[in-house]
Amino acid sequence: MTHKSITDVKYHLQKANYICSKSVATVVFLAQATQKPVLVEGPAGVGKTELAKAVAQSLNRDLIRLQCYEGLDEAKALYEWEYAKQLLYTQMMKDRIDEVISGSTDLNDAVDRIADQEDAFFSERFILPRPLLQAISSPEPVVLLIDEVDKSDPEFEAFLLEILSDFQVTIPEIGTRKAVKIPIVFLTSNNYRDMSDALKRRCIHLYIDYPDVELELQIVKLKIPGIKDRLAEQLINTIHEIRNLDLKKKPCTSETLDWAQSLIALQVNHLTPEIVTDTLNMICKYRSDADLVKDNMETITKNAGLECSI
Amino acid sequence: MLDLILNFVSCSRASGLRISSSEVLDCVNQLELIDVLEEPLFQSVLRSNFAKSRREQAHFDHLYHLFFHEMRSELSIPHSNELSELMEKALDSITAKLDQDPSFQAILDFLQGDPLGYLEEMRQLQSDTDGDTPSGMPNAFGPLIRRLQIMSQINGIGDGLARFMANNRQSIAWEDRKAMTIHYDERLDNARRMLREDPEPYDDGLKKVTTYEKHLNQIGDKSFFSLSKKEVEEMRDIVEQLVRKLKDTVQRRYSKHKRGVLDIKKTLRASAKYQGVPIEVVYKHKPKRKGKIVTLCDVSGSVWTAAKFMLNMLYSLQDCFLQVRSFIFVNELEEVTQTFQKHDINIAVDKSLKEAEINYQASTDYGSTFRQFKREYMDILNKKTTLIIVGDGRTNYSNPEEKILDEMREKCRRIIWLNPESLVFWNTGDSRMRTYQRYCNEVRHCQNLNQLLDFIKTLVL
């Protein structure tokens, strides 16, 4: 099953609890229609990983996730031979192997006979598929998420190219494995380093920014159904005011949600500057940031329409 | 439709975006799947195919707006044949009068709705600013003069058009005249604005570090500039201690790493010696990747003190990196790697100052330094290199050459800029920190030992 149109994408993602802008929906739709991977960039916490999850959920597909880090190599990403199993099998079949070589006249002959059998040990049976191989050999179409690809080494990035453009991998002992069903691929990046041109060329690029006021309001209302309209509005306005400050780390969408959740837990009905100050550690994760927000509380109060308690 | 896209692509290429033909193909294929009449969709398709990093997006947005909004303004004019004929006549009248400079032709094309030549002209202005002035002195005036020339050409064309209008008062109806004047004024304004404002990349990927842990209380907070001679000695001891500690930490990490998981492949191979009994057990031991470091240090008075301590630390920690290469500069570049490798740090610092063929009297020139780096050392940067620049970003009003910095960023893993100046003085006077920081991955304020330590720690660990 794939999405039929851009509105269809939007509708289904919303059903999967993910509200997105039109440009996000466009890219997701095009990625399915043209079978291209999507490279998602954006600040931390705007829902890059969440997008892949939502797409998987809305299409009823499995999500296979590969978390990248420095030092990740193909043995952990693609496949590995199960040496222990191979060893076990050779031990158990010692007699059979003896039988095979029993009639041989000399050493060369014996080696030839063994060589005839070696395919048995380097076959599908002894391969341990890792996320990438799993994704392309799955009989059901899946969603493949390659998370934080910028954290991986440049070598690994080059190794991804074959998979991303042709949806196939080459295993020296067996041959080339083509994808059974072409997966939808998402790569996320945090701008830790620039990706190579070769990788970028193969992907559709999507930049997710902090959502605008209306969109974020929708998100909060969807994720936290019990929230009052007035509180939600104040909350979003405050967050947007705080994002305008020159902070070390701007509060992201997921932190907005956490904050809203904690305000509900505190049974707050409307925001006052005091409540914002008290709960600031939900959204500001550095002390200097929190201080900056406190210093600017007056302008925030005015612009976000908070209620001053007298 | 196809022509329009291709035209846009060639304009984008002319202004420096790299777009491959496969990306154009993808884009055209994708456009067939969407409703192109809905502009946000159209834009996001183009954007996701042509601008594939955040830093390119600002440039793309600028071009998109120019191409699809401003250059299309003729559509709003009642487009009778008569009027377009008149317009051509007006432009011809100017062509006849003025000289045939290529940039002049480019401006005329721009007026007629073909921005290709003009964009190319703008890009050249931004990129090859290697000051080819007659005097042979590289300075910021070369590109400035070029800009002035173009500006005066634009004004010349404006005057020419006005004269044409005045001369033909009788023959052209006033509505037509008005429409033409408005149209051309708009275009000329666009051309002038593009000349004045360079598009700059979004820099929200930039990491800006301004707060620090406090490692040492008194001396650690003291600015490098205000250290007395005795304190400098004291500082050296402290640095030595700290470096030893840091080395220990790194070593510990390595030895722990050595244990790792069982390497079955190698264990099996080793067991062949003992008839298949695994007597020697081999662990997977993959040494952690070490980075290469290239440092560029401004040695003009103000910055040198900080740079000295940083080099000191870097070289004491040499085994934590694959390679450290260092350069010092004032207005030209000199490699001092050898000096630092051969000699003890204190001697090396003195030696590099005395023996380097650098004119210390000259004023700092980042532009010419970058140009020289590009000419001679660009090949030492690769995807494993971290480029550290220590400097205050004060260019003495010469050409900052930030485009070269951009090229350097493309080649290396990341660029970290350490600025020993107080934060309040950044971007004042001739400091071009704002320009440079857009092209760096990380900008750090590095005025005292605590801040330096913080930096070295994140670099090594």
Side-chain angles (χ1 to χ4, degrees), chain A residues 6 22-23 26-27 29-30 33-34 36 39 41 43 70-73 75 80-81 83-84 87 91 150-155 190-197 199-207 209 246 248 286 288, chain B residues 18 20-23 26 29-31 33-35 38 40-42 44-45 47-49 51-57 204-205 208-212 263-265 268 276 284 286 288-289 383-384 409-410 412-414 441:
Chain A
I6 295 167
K22 203 149 198 178
S23 65
T26 312
V27 171
F29 169 69
L30 287 176
T34 58
K36 288 207 141 245
L39 173 64
E41 282 190 317
E70 219 180 293
L72 177 72
D73 57 1
E80 198 165 24
W81 291 106
Y83 297 109
L87 203 60
Q91 290 293 327
D150 51 338
K151 299 268 165 37
S152 68
D153 306 316
E155 294 87 5
N190 257 332
N191 247 330
Y192 179 72
R193 69 182 170 84
D194 296 345
M195 309 310 296
S196 72
D197 281 348
L199 183 80
K200 282 194 275 189
R201 188 174 70 70
R202 286 168 172 81
C203 302
I204 308 180
H205 181 263
L206 172 65
Y207 185 86
D209 210 341
D246 183 24
K248 250 170 118 169
Y286 287 96
S288 59
Chain B
R18 271 178 314 202
S20 69
S21 0
S22 76
E23 280 165 338
D26 287 346
N29 280 336
Q30 287 167 9
L31 283 176
L33 298 167
I34 63 154
D35 179 10
E38 209 171 321
L41 293 189
F42 178 73
S44 60
V45 169
R47 193 172 150 132
S48 54
N49 278 296
K52 291 200 169 170
S53 71
R54 178 64 172 161
R55 281 166 355 101
E56 280 168 350
Q57 277 181 354
D204 46 5
K208 219 170 160 184
V209 183
T210 44
T211 45
Y212 295 89
D263 189 339
I264 295 172
K265 236 191 225 169
L268 280 183
K284 264 193 188 150
K286 200 178 162 204
K288 209 173 170 314
R289 209 165 53 126
K383 282 287 175 199
K384 282 183 182 160
R409 173 175 171 149
E410 300 236 314
C412 66
R413 186 179 168 85
R414 56 191 171 146
N441 298 66

Side-chain angles (χ1 to χ4, degrees), chain A residues 221-248:
Chain A
K221 280 184 182 163
L222 179 82
K223 295 267 182 178
I224 300 163
I227 196 162
K228 297 224 168 59
D229 286 0
R230 171 123 183 79
L231 177 63
E233 254 168 58
Q234 285 179 334
L235 182 92
I236 301 301
N237 287 334
T238 316
I239 283 280
H240 277 258
E241 282 300 315
I242 292 176
R243 270 187 204 144
N244 284 337
L245 299 174
D246 183 24
L247 299 180
K248 250 170 118 169

Side-chain angles (χ1 to χ4, degrees), chain A residues 247-259:
Chain A
L247 299 180
K248 250 170 118 169
K249 187 193 162 300
K250 293 182 178 172
C252 60
T253 319
S254 60
E255 280 164 329
T256 313
L257 292 174
D258 290 345
W259 195 32

Side-chain angles (χ1 to χ4, degrees), chain B residues 213-222 235 238-239 241-242 449-450 453:
Chain B
E213 282 176 57
K214 303 223 174 219
H215 299 282
L216 295 164
N217 272 334
Q218 289 177 353
I219 203 163
D221 279 335
K222 215 157 183 188
M235 196 94 137
I238 295 174
V239 167
Q241 273 175 26
L242 289 167
L449 194 59
N450 280 342
L453 266 178

Side-chain angles (χ1 to χ4, degrees), chain A residues 16-67:
Chain A
N17 269 347
Y18 189 91
I19 295 185
C20 64
S21 64
K22 203 149 198 178
S23 65
V24 175
T26 312
V27 171
V28 170
F29 169 69
L30 287 176
Q32 293 175 38
T34 58
Q35 299 186 333
K36 288 207 141 245
V38 187
L39 173 64
V40 195
E41 282 190 317
V46 287
K48 298 188 289 293
T49 310
E50 216 45 46
L51 173 66
K53 286 187 194 162
V55 169
Q57 199 190 336
S58 69
L59 293 173
N60 228 343
R61 293 186 180 192
D62 283 337
L63 178 76
I64 295 181
R65 180 170 175 170
L66 174 68
Q67 177 72 43

Side-chain angles (χ1 to χ4, degrees), chain A residues 129-189:
Chain A
R130 301 286 192 188
L132 292 182
L133 190 61
Q134 270 173 27
I136 66 162
S137 50
S138 154
E140 295 293 318
V142 292
V143 174
L144 172 64
L145 167 64
I146 303 176
D147 215 0
E148 307 199 359
V149 67
D150 51 338
K151 299 268 165 37
S152 68
D153 306 316
E155 294 87 5
F156 181 74
E157 199 186 310
F159 156 80
L160 276 180
L161 297 180
E162 190 188 4
I163 282 209
L164 294 185
S165 58
D166 301 334
F167 293 102
Q168 62 174 38
V169 292
T170 307
I171 302 169
E173 292 89 345
I174 295 182
T176 306
R177 291 265 295 255
K178 272 201 175 324
V180 184
K181 286 275 164 58
I182 292 189
I184 304 177
V185 185
F186 286 92
L187 298 101
T188 72
S189 151

